[in-house]
Structures are given as structure tokens and as C-alpha cells.
Amino acid sequence: MLCYNQARLDCYADSLRESLKAFKAAGSLHNIPHYTSWPSRNAASGHESFCDDSSIGPYSDETHVAYMMFAQNCILKLDAILRTGDRATQRRSLAEHTYSIRHMKSVRMFINSHPKVSVVHGLLSDILFLGRLRSCYYAIVEAALNIPGFAHLSIIFVKNLPRRVCSATLPSLTDTMKLLDQTLNPTSVKNFIGERFSVISADRAFDKLQNTVSRHRLSTHAEVQLVLHIVGMMNINTVHKEVYPYVGCSKLSCFLCSTFLKSFDHHGIKFRTRGSHGKIYSLWSIPDMDGLRSDVVLALHSASNKTRKVLVGEMMKPIATIAHVAESTAAVTDDSPQPSWNRQYHKVLAAQREFDALHTKNLTKCVLRRVANRERQPCYT
């Protein structure tokens, strides 16, 4: 897993290096933040009861400095790992260390002492991203121990297909509106872009956005890569016996992935995912079609046209505010307007998570209560 993900880990490591540099620039790495009670905040975040290190004990006013020094050493260790010259050693050490500290509340408190929110968010995100690899490893190990027939499962590393490069010349806002059979004027700007924009400001903002994606390498999301790998390798004559057309993802699909998969029909096989969070990413794309079989190319072309029509239809709808939908598995949602087995399954998962969280919380309280009672007991000599 380290070998397969080395490019991604190196990218995360470089980002972590920059985040630590910004964190140290403000002197936050060598300053111990003062204890602040923040009763309502602590109650909501669980700071009153956490115990990241058994040798220190539960977090409190008395143990605050010890915990901040503990967290400081955790961050210093990250800095030390990044100073080693061997990239391979860095990958393994970072994956292991970030996994061990990624959910520590003392580390989060220490990082939150930095005055800039962007630096805090960046450093926490880098730690979480680097720690995910070991989480994935343990998930596979747990599956191997608990799922019947796992011994017969094959894990295949999918090779990334060649990525497209965004054109250097992109249409202006005027030309884009023409593609939508619209004219660029104050009314169309208000209806399709936003009330606070004028024609001039909208045109400038659009040009700026186009310049940010021009010449960039475009991303092919995991769902699309997996589907194209499957249809490229499968036997058409036995496809219905070999393929179960469901793609399991840790995150909900974006709007374009969801729409593309609904539009992609290859020999009667239609793939689906657990749902969509409805967001659109400007660098989304299907991969380069060079080297793909002709039948796959035709299916891709058809799905792309259908996706484009759906996207245009969505763009022509009036601007509306919708409820935020989380991307991760923590928020289980379903993009289907009708009740389904998928939605019911999500409800069961949500209920199980609530039960597990409540059980863990009660167990923590029980342990802390026992520790407190033990400390109150008189000592006889």
C-alpha cells in the first residue's frame, strides 16, 4: 500500500512540510497555550473528559501543561520525520505517526492555538490525510478476519488512465452563455450567476476562474476509473455473471460522477454508487480515450453527451439554496427521490453509529468515574 500510494503520500508530505513551516513561523510550535475553561465549548467537544495518554490521565487544569507538551512532542516528531533524507522511510513513518495522533484532542487543541484558521485547517487536514492509509490497512485486516470468503477475494491495483489537459483557450462568459442559448445581460447574470454581480464583474470573475483551470491536468475520479477498468477487462459474453454493478466508495459521489454513471450503459450494465452530495468540481473529466476499445469509447461518448445535457439543464434552473450534504460516510444520504433499500440501509448504519458513539461515551465516563473514585479513597498506613 505504501508503494502504490507513494505519489499521493509524497504530495501530502510536501503539504505537511509547508503547513508546519507556517505553524512554526508564528512561534506556535514552541509556545504552550494557556488553559482556558471554555465550559460550553469543552462540553460540546469532550475536552473535559479525554485521555490521550494514560500516564498523564484525564485532561484538566492540572494536566493541561503536560498534555500541551505531549502534543508539542507529537508535532515535533512530525517535523523530525520530514527532516530525514529517505523518502521511503518518511512515507512509512508519517503514515504510522499521523495515524496514531490523528484523533488526539490534545493535538487538536495545541494546533488550534495558532491564530490563523487557514494554517490550523491545513495542518489538521494534512495529518488526517496521511493517517488514512493505515486506517485503510486496518479496515482490510478487519474485513479479512470477519467476512466469510474473504480469502478468495482478489485486490487489484487499478492503473490510472492518462489524464486530459485542459485547453489553453477557454470560452469567455459571453460565448458560454451563447452555448446555453442565452445572452449575457443584467437579467441573465442575476438569474444564473448571482444578484450581487454586474455584467462586468461577472465577466471578470469568470475569466479569473477560467485562468485557474487553463492548462491544468484534469482529474478522473475513482468511481469513473474503476468502471472504465471493469468494462475494459470484462468478457462481454459473461459480464452479467462476473460483474455486480455497484461501486463502493468511502465518500458520496460528486454530481458529475453520479450523472455520468447513470448515463453510462455498456451492454446493459449500469453502475451505481450509494448516492451523491451534489457538488461540482471544475477539474472533473473523463480520461483520455486513447488505447480504449471501440465499444468502450462509444459508451463513453454517449454518456458524456447525456451528462452534458443534464448539466446544461441544471445550469438553466434558477439559483437556489439547498441544505449542505456531507461528503463522507459520517452523513449517510441517498440521492434517490424515492425510498429504497439503499436509504433504509443508510438509516441502519446511522443508528448503529449513534449506538456505538453513545456506548463509547458511556464507557469513557465509567472509566473516568472509577479513576476519580480510586483517587478519593483514603490511604491507610
Side-chain angles (χ1 to χ4, degrees), residues 359-374:
H359 176 70
T360 302
K361 184 177 180 181
N362 290 337
L363 185 62
T364 303
K365 286 183 178 179
C366 181
V367 171
L368 291 171
R369 194 177 295 116
R370 288 180 180 177
V371 172
N373 290 337
R374 192 177 302 162

Side-chain angles (χ1 to χ4, degrees), residues 2 6-15 17 81-82 84-94 130:
L2 285 168
Q6 66 180 28
R8 179 173 295 177
L9 289 172
D10 288 345
C11 179
Y12 291 155
D14 292 339
S15 178
R17 186 178 286 105
I81 292 172
L82 289 170
T84 59
D86 186 2
R87 272 283 201 179
T89 304
Q90 278 187 17
R91 294 185 201 109
R92 179 175 293 278
S93 300
L94 285 174
L130 282 163

Side-chain angles (χ1 to χ4, degrees), residues 22-38:
F23 190 76
K24 290 188 290 184
S28 299
L29 185 56
H30 300 290
N31 288 333
I32 300 297
H34 296 293
Y35 176 81
T36 307
S37 58
W38 297 325

Side-chain angles (χ1 to χ4, degrees), residues 36-184:
T36 307
S37 58
W38 297 325
S40 59
R41 182 176 174 182
N42 282 352
S45 60
H47 286 172
E48 291 180 338
S49 60
F50 75 80
C51 183
D52 289 339
D53 189 291
S54 58
S55 63
I56 299 176
Y59 174 76
S60 65
D61 185 5
E62 290 76 17
T63 60
H64 171 76
V65 173
Y67 263 119
M68 292 303 97
M69 293 178 66
F70 169 79
Q72 183 185 50
N73 287 330
C74 291
I75 304 300
L76 285 170
K77 186 174 179 179
L78 286 176
D79 194 41
I81 292 172
L82 289 170
R83 293 177 185 276
T84 59
D86 186 2
R87 272 283 201 179
T89 304
Q90 278 187 17
R91 294 185 201 109
R92 179 175 293 278
S93 300
L94 285 174
E96 292 175 350
H97 185 55
T98 52
Y99 174 81
S100 66
I101 69 172
R102 73 197 194 289
H103 292 320
M104 287 185 177
K105 292 183 179 178
S106 57
V107 172
R108 186 175 290 269
M109 288 176 65
F110 184 76
I111 294 174
N112 277 327
S113 66
H114 193 281
K116 287 192 70 174
V117 176
S118 59
V119 174
V120 171
H121 176 75
L123 184 52
L124 288 173
S125 296
D126 293 333
I127 291 173
L128 290 172
F129 276 126
L130 282 163
R132 286 197 310 180
L133 185 66
R134 201 163 183 83
S135 297
C136 179
Y137 167 75
Y138 283 126
I140 293 175
V141 171
E142 184 180 3
L145 295 174
N146 293 285
I147 298 178
F150 189 88
H152 304 291
L153 180 70
S154 297
I155 298 177
I156 302 171
F157 292 116
V158 177
K159 184 179 180 181
N160 290 339
L161 295 169
R163 295 166 64 181
R164 292 178 179 272
V165 177
C166 188
S167 173
T169 305
L170 296 174
S172 64
L173 181 57
T174 301
D175 293 335
T176 302
M177 295 297 284
K178 287 180 181 178
L179 292 173
L180 301 174
D181 294 326
Q182 297 290 324
T183 303
L184 182 61

Side-chain angles (χ1 to χ4, degrees), residues 328-341:
S328 70
T329 52
V332 282
T333 57
D334 185 8
D335 65 346
S336 172
Q338 301 296 329
S340 65
W341 67 270

